[in-house]
Structures are given as structure tokens and as C-alpha cells.
Amino acid sequence: MKIQRFKEYLFWVVLIALIFSSGMSIAEETMKITYSRGIDDLPLYVALEEGLWEKEGIKVELVRLVGEHNIIAAALHGDIDAGHLDLGGAFHAGLQNIPVKVVAWLGHAHKGTRCGLHVDQKSNIKSIADLKGKRIAESGTITTAMILSETLKSAGMDKDDIKAIKGIKLDDSMKHEAALRSKGVDVIVA
Amino acid sequence: MLEEHGASRLLTSFNDAIPGYVFSGLFFTEKYLKKNPEKVRAFLRGLIKAFAYIQANETEARKWLPKYTGVEMTVAMKSALREYSDGREPEESLYRQQAIMMKIGYLKEKVPIEKIIDYNFLPE
């Protein structure tokens, strides 16, 4: 009888120890952070590769996930711990009362920024005014829409003055090159 | 990055169109922030140190780009990087971008930035 009780006691001790040990490992779980596979996320690559997070006592894994809806859904579901979001996506999340908060921005454009409207080296497009009637390829994201809108506005034009071709990916420079060289488009926003 | 292949020339940049354009940020769920404040602080300390590392060791930092972005090393060494702040961006920049979003019909109404941002976990 005593042996039976001792076995039961031992069973509960082992079970409780297992629960506590698994709880401790949850606290030490690797943080999963999404990244965009772009140059914008350089600080994430550097922090990981140079061991800057490790020195802060945390383990981080970068997870490739695209689409702000997917990223937010994954965070709300607990599949990732943090995600990247552009300002437009953040405002939309706020408008819909989605319980997420941006805790840091990953930099901004400056005078040396080379993202913008690109034309073929030999193109006769020399100024923004020359964009009238031209085929402009863009990703269709809020970023390119805003940049294009403000650029056209500076020359007294709007989106109806150009032929927008949407869907090109900002990070696919090889396709951009091919599109420009084949004269498939006149301008690429990238 | 296009220019680095010699295929194109830049007609006008994002910064010409919207000076100081803020591209993207990192978010956590409010639930996660409440449950793991110290973990988030540690994460952001590491991130801000990465900003400083890039500024002080730009060539070394650029070497990580091919691994994560797939670009060639020659392109990685020449591409223009973002300008890093302390993780915060001026309110006026954020509201200026919001006004453009509303103007082009992307955003229906104004959203106070306090509703989307929490800088409390950043180092001072």
C-alpha cells in the first residue's frame, strides 16, 4: 500500500517538474520576427548575424512571410512574435482597431536614396513632365502609389496622365532590367 | 538597385517626392507587449545597436545583404541604405504621409499616431 502511495507521489512530483520545466523553456523561446527580404531590413540581418540580440539575452529567428494581412494574422495567432509593416498598413490596422503597435521604424529616405522612378539609360525621358502618356510599371503598393502621386503632382499631372502597369515586385531587379531593356515599359518605380 | 546593373538611371527618387519618407516599422501585438515587456526592450536594444553598427561599420554590415536578399555582393556594396534614427520618426513626417494616403483614397479617415505607435519600449 505504502509502495503504491509512494509511486503515486513520485508520479505527481515528476509531472509537476515536467510542467515547470516546459514553462521555463517557453520563457526562453526563440522570438520569430518576419522580414521582407529587402535592403530595408538590413538592421535585422546585422542584429542577428553580429550577435547583438544574443548579447541582450534573447534568441531571434527571422521568418519570411509576405502580405501585411498574413503577417498581422500570424502575429495575432501567435505564430510569430513581431512583424514588419509599412506605415499605410499600420494606419489601416489602427483604423480597424487591430491590437498591434509599431515599436520602431526601420529608417527613412534621404538625399542619397536611390529608390524612385527609373528609366532606361538611353531613354528620352529627361524630366517629370516627360512622363505624360508613358507606361509606368509599379508594384501597386501604397508606397509606389504615394510616390507616383506626389511626383506627378509636382509637374501638374495625376495618374490619368500616365499608363500605370501594376504588379511588378519592388525587390526583383532582374525583372526590372529586362522590362526596361525590352521596352516593355518606359519607367519602373522601384 | 537597378542602376547598379547599368540598366537604368534614376529620374527622381522617393526622397524627392516625399522628403524623409518612412518606409516600414516593426510591430508587436498589444497582448505580447503586455506579457513580455523586458523581452521587447531587449529586442529593441539589439535593434538600435544594429543601427549604430551599420553607421560605424557600413561595409561590414552590407556583407550580410546577399545572404538575405539574394542580391549580388557588388550590388549590395553600392545600394543606398536608409537613414536610421533612434527608432522614432517625426510626427509631422508620419502625418504628412497619412495626408497623402487620404488624398489618393487609400485611407478613409485620419488615425491618431498614438493609436498605431508605442515607443515606450525603445531605449531612451
Side-chain angles (χ1 to χ4, degrees):
Chain A
M1 194 65 180
K2 279 184 180 175
I3 292 171
Q4 182 62 29
R5 281 188 179 172
F6 177 73
K7 280 181 178 174
E8 282 179 16
Y9 172 76
L10 196 62
F11 169 78
W12 286 109
V13 167
V14 170
L15 185 64
I16 289 166
L18 280 172
I19 290 169
F20 271 93
S21 65
S22 67
M24 283 170 72
S25 70
I26 285 167
E28 292 166 2
E29 262 182 9
T30 301
M31 290 176 88
K32 290 184 178 176
I33 314 292
T34 67
Y35 74 106
S36 67
R37 200 170 170 259
I39 196 167
D40 293 351
D41 291 338
L42 179 60
L44 303 182
Y45 316 147
V46 166
L48 183 64
E49 298 287 354
E50 298 297 337
L52 302 178
W53 282 320
E54 206 175 338
K55 284 174 193 164
E56 295 295 337
I58 55 171
K59 292 175 188 169
V60 175
E61 178 189 352
L62 298 183
V63 180
R64 177 86 176 113
L65 192 60
V66 293
E68 64 187 41
H69 296 297
N70 295 334
I71 294 168
I72 290 175
L76 293 173
H77 192 252
D79 295 333
I80 57 165
D81 297 308
H84 60 284
L85 195 59
D86 65 25
L87 184 55
F91 281 132
H92 266 283
L95 203 58
Q96 295 168 62
N97 295 311
I98 297 171
V100 298
K101 287 280 192 294
V102 172
V103 294
W105 300 104
L106 295 171
H108 53 256
H110 54 95
K111 286 180 180 172
T113 293
R114 307 306 291 172
C115 294
L117 276 67
H118 296 262
V119 297
D120 187 89
Q121 282 285 6
K122 297 171 185 169
S123 171
N124 57 3
I125 300 172
K126 306 289 182 192
S127 70
I128 294 167
D130 294 337
L131 294 175
K132 194 171 179 69
K134 294 293 190 289
R135 295 159 300 170
I136 301 182
E138 52 139 330
S139 63
T141 63
I142 182 60
T143 297
T144 56
M146 290 169 68
I147 298 301
L148 204 46
S149 165
E150 292 302 287
T151 299
L152 295 172
K153 189 181 114 184
S154 70
M157 294 188 284
D158 63 25
K159 61 182 170 58
D160 294 331
D161 290 306
I162 55 136
K163 291 170 189 164
I165 300 165
K166 296 185 179 181
I168 194 161
K169 287 182 181 175
L170 279 172
D171 59 357
D172 200 343
S173 59
M174 297 307 282
K175 281 185 184 172
H176 298 173
E177 194 173 306
L180 281 176
R181 286 196 165 152
S182 67
K183 311 292 180 200
V185 296
D186 302 304
V187 182
I188 286 181
V189 187
Chain B
M1 283 194 263
L2 258 181
E3 291 170 285
E4 307 306 339
H5 284 162
S8 76
R9 64 182 156 80
L10 181 67
L11 180 69
T12 182
S13 79
F14 281 18
N15 195 64
D16 295 331
I18 305 173
Y21 184 85
V22 178
F23 289 88
S24 61
L26 290 169
F27 76 89
F28 285 88
T29 64
E30 290 175 1
K31 185 180 169 187
Y32 192 94
L33 291 172
K34 277 182 191 168
K35 197 177 170 188
N36 306 281
E38 291 314 315
K39 209 170 173 181
V40 175
R41 284 191 181 95
F43 173 79
L44 290 175
R45 281 196 301 273
L47 182 71
I48 301 303
K49 284 177 183 170
F51 290 170
Y53 181 95
I54 294 166
Q55 281 156 355
N57 310 279
E58 192 177 311
T59 305
E60 288 301 310
R62 284 174 180 274
K63 287 178 183 170
W64 298 115
L65 284 172
K67 176 178 177 181
Y68 289 94
T69 67
V71 300
E72 301 152 26
M73 189 62 84
T74 50
V75 175
M77 285 296 155
K78 292 178 183 173
S79 302
L81 303 179
R82 305 287 175 247
E83 194 167 77
Y84 303 109
S85 59
D86 59 354
R88 300 164 179 87
E89 292 291 346
E91 273 191 24
E92 56 268 30
S93 295
L94 304 177
Y95 276 125
R96 183 174 58 221
Q97 286 181 220
Q98 185 181 75
I100 300 167
M101 287 176 205
M102 291 174 72
K103 188 184 76 179
I104 63 175
Y106 178 79
L107 196 64
K108 286 180 184 170
E109 53 190 90
K110 193 171 178 178
V111 181
I113 59 167
E114 308 81 62
K115 200 168 178 180
I116 64 161
I117 295 169
D118 189 344
Y119 290 147
N120 287 315
F121 301 88
L122 278 168
E124 288 299 320

